[in-house]
Structure formats: structure tokens, C-alpha cells
Amino acid sequence: MDDRGGEGGSFVAVRRGLHQGTACHSTGSSAWLGRGLSCVCAQRRDFEDHPSFELTPAQEECLHRLQNRINIGYDSSNPEHQEALKALWHAAFPEEQLHGLMSEQWKEMGWQGKDPSTDFRGGGFISLENLLYFARHFPDLLQKKEGDRAMWEYPFAVAGVNITFMLIQMLDFEAVKPRTLVGATFLKLLTDNESAFDLLYCIAFKLMDHKWLDMHASYMDFNTVMKATRHQLEMELLQEDIVRLEDLPSYNLLSR
């Protein structure tokens, strides 16, 4: 794992195993997300100084269920994972037949090669679940018609995997208990809505795309856009009048 960085930590896209003592353990393996994009995931060295927040039994149960999802790696030999990948294709391109799980067609969706499973190494199966939720609930957003599109854009699918990883880091969900106010606040929303993480993913994706346009970003600006996206999400989640995700100002972007 890349351990560079000073006070702010290094920004790398790697998976980190859950700390010992959780109800669900990770393999602890690290992997890069993609070959060109790295997400804004600060690997800080001062985790020991972070406070932990007490959880209700219901919050602990929701957290453990989400952590179990996070710890499922993508397995290209698993029929359930194969079907989910096919479902993602059909949701994105309902009129175009997929010729195989390994096909040059996947590049049309923004995967970096003909085998999309290689891009899931860092995000795990939950990143595919997030993309599929996004495609099924907000299919119009997959077309990215809003605004003047850039000539050199981010790879849609790989960006989606990075967003999953960014949210896990932002919410500190690989810890036994959240050590940030943002993570503790989100757990309250998750207790009321078990799809809250998937919905937050959709909000984050649309917010990232919106900022991409506003900043006239290019491929090389991806990390800068992700930093701005994460910062705005953190600010919005901490607003006093937020009692559900639909109250976030950025939620309105999903209707555009």
C-alpha cells in the first residue's frame, strides 16, 4: 500500500481490511482501482486519535450488514455476480445485445478493457451493486446529456467504482465503529433506510458529474473533482436540518 504523504495523507485507491474485532472480517488485500484513476481516499496515520461514536443496537446491525456487503469481493466465477454484471449491461444498453462477459463492448460503458472484472478488484461486489442500483433507478442519468460534455471525459464505469470506494472511506465504514461525525450521522439515515448507501452513491455520482461540468474538467482533473465532491457531501450531511437523504441539497440533481 502506498504510504506516502504528510499531514493530509496520500490519495490512493486501495482497499483496507476491517480492524480486528468487527463482526465481519476482510481479507485485508489491497488493490488499485483501475490503471489510470485513483480515488480521493486519504490514508491518514492519526486514526488512533479519532473518537468513536456509541451506536444503538439497530445502528450496529445496519453497520454490520453494510460491512458484510463491503467485504464481498467480485468473483468472476460466481453466477450471481455474472448475472449482476449482465443486468448492468442490459440496464445501460437495453437495445444492444451483450456478446459475452469478456467483450470489447464493455469499453462503451467506460471499463478499461474487455474484462470488467479487473476493474472491480478495489471496489468489490458492492461497487457493481451500486452501479446497478444507479442504472435501474436513474436510467436517464446514464446518458449524461446535461451540459456541454468534455471531449476527454472520465470512464463512466471505473469512475463509479471509485465513487463507491470514496464513500466507504468518507463514512469510515471499515472501522469497528465510525470515528467521524459524518459517518455517525449517516448511520442514523441508514437505520431508517437500508438503501441509503446506494442512494447516497447515486447522489455522489450525479454531484461528481455536475462538478465535472462546472469545472470544465479533463481526465487529469479527476482527483480534484472527487475531492470537491467529497467535501460537499460531507458539508451537506452535517447540516442540522438533514433527517433523510432526500433533504440533501445535492439530491435535487437527480431530477435534472
Side-chain angles (χ1 to χ4, degrees):
M1 179 170 65
D2 189 340
D3 195 30
R4 296 167 297 171
E7 275 185 17
S10 59
F11 297 105
V12 294
V14 295
R15 291 207 73 191
R16 304 182 61 190
L18 289 175
H19 297 276
Q20 292 183 354
T22 56
C24 35
H25 298 282
S26 169
T27 61
S29 62
S30 299
W32 288 95
L33 290 186
R35 293 184 289 274
L37 301 182
S38 58
C39 83
V40 184
C41 310
Q43 309 299 329
R44 300 181 184 274
R45 298 182 179 134
D46 58 348
F47 279 141
E48 303 85 14
D49 299 329
H50 288 189
S52 62
F53 294 83
E54 292 303 317
L55 306 178
T56 66
Q59 290 172 344
E60 286 188 350
E61 183 179 350
C62 286
L63 175 59
H64 290 161
R65 279 201 296 267
L66 182 55
Q67 287 174 330
N68 281 329
R69 290 180 63 193
I70 291 170
N71 281 312
I72 298 174
Y74 181 80
D75 181 357
S76 58
S77 66
N78 185 318
E80 179 186 355
H81 295 192
Q82 293 175 356
E83 290 305 312
L85 191 56
K86 292 176 185 177
L88 177 62
W89 175 268
H90 293 309
F93 302 105
E95 305 299 326
E96 185 175 347
Q97 182 180 358
L98 177 65
H99 299 311
L101 291 178
M102 292 186 63
S103 169
E104 294 292 332
Q105 290 174 287
W106 290 108
K107 294 180 181 179
E108 299 176 29
M109 191 184 289
W111 301 108
Q112 297 182 103
K114 64 181 181 180
D115 182 8
S117 67
T118 61
D119 291 326
F120 284 123
R121 289 174 182 164
F125 184 56
I126 192 173
S127 59
L128 174 54
E129 290 180 313
N130 288 157
L131 277 168
L132 186 55
Y133 184 94
F134 185 45
R136 284 174 169 169
H137 289 79
F138 303 99
D140 293 342
L141 300 183
L142 295 180
Q143 305 304 318
K144 299 198 303 176
K145 295 178 180 178
E146 179 193 2
D148 296 325
R149 310 309 311 185
M151 181 177 298
W152 297 101
E153 289 206 274
Y154 55 86
F156 173 80
V158 177
V161 175
N162 275 268
I163 289 172
T164 295
F165 193 86
M166 180 269 285
L167 291 177
I168 293 171
Q169 292 286 299
M170 182 186 82
L171 300 171
D172 198 23
F173 279 172
E174 288 187 330
V176 177
K177 294 181 180 180
R179 297 161 297 186
T180 66
L181 185 56
V182 172
T185 299
F186 179 77
L187 264 183
K188 297 178 182 178
L189 306 178
L190 183 65
T191 305
D192 295 331
N193 178 7
E194 287 203 46
S195 298
F197 186 80
D198 300 277
L199 181 55
L200 182 63
Y201 172 89
C202 298
I203 296 170
F205 208 131
K206 183 58 178 177
L207 177 59
M208 184 274 292
D209 188 72
H210 181 73
K211 287 189 175 295
W212 185 275
L213 293 176
D214 281 353
M215 297 168 67
H216 303 286
S218 68
Y219 184 88
M220 298 301 294
D221 299 316
F222 184 79
N223 274 355
T224 301
V225 175
M226 288 287 282
K227 286 181 186 179
T229 301
R230 173 171 174 165
H231 177 71
Q232 182 162 337
L233 284 175
E234 289 174 330
M235 296 290 289
E236 291 187 12
L237 282 167
L238 293 179
Q239 292 181 8
E240 292 184 359
D241 57 344
I242 303 299
V243 296
R244 56 181 192 149
L245 286 177
E246 289 83 353
D247 297 328
L248 295 178
S250 292
Y251 176 82
N252 295 325
L253 293 173
L254 292 176
S255 61
R256 294 185 182 181

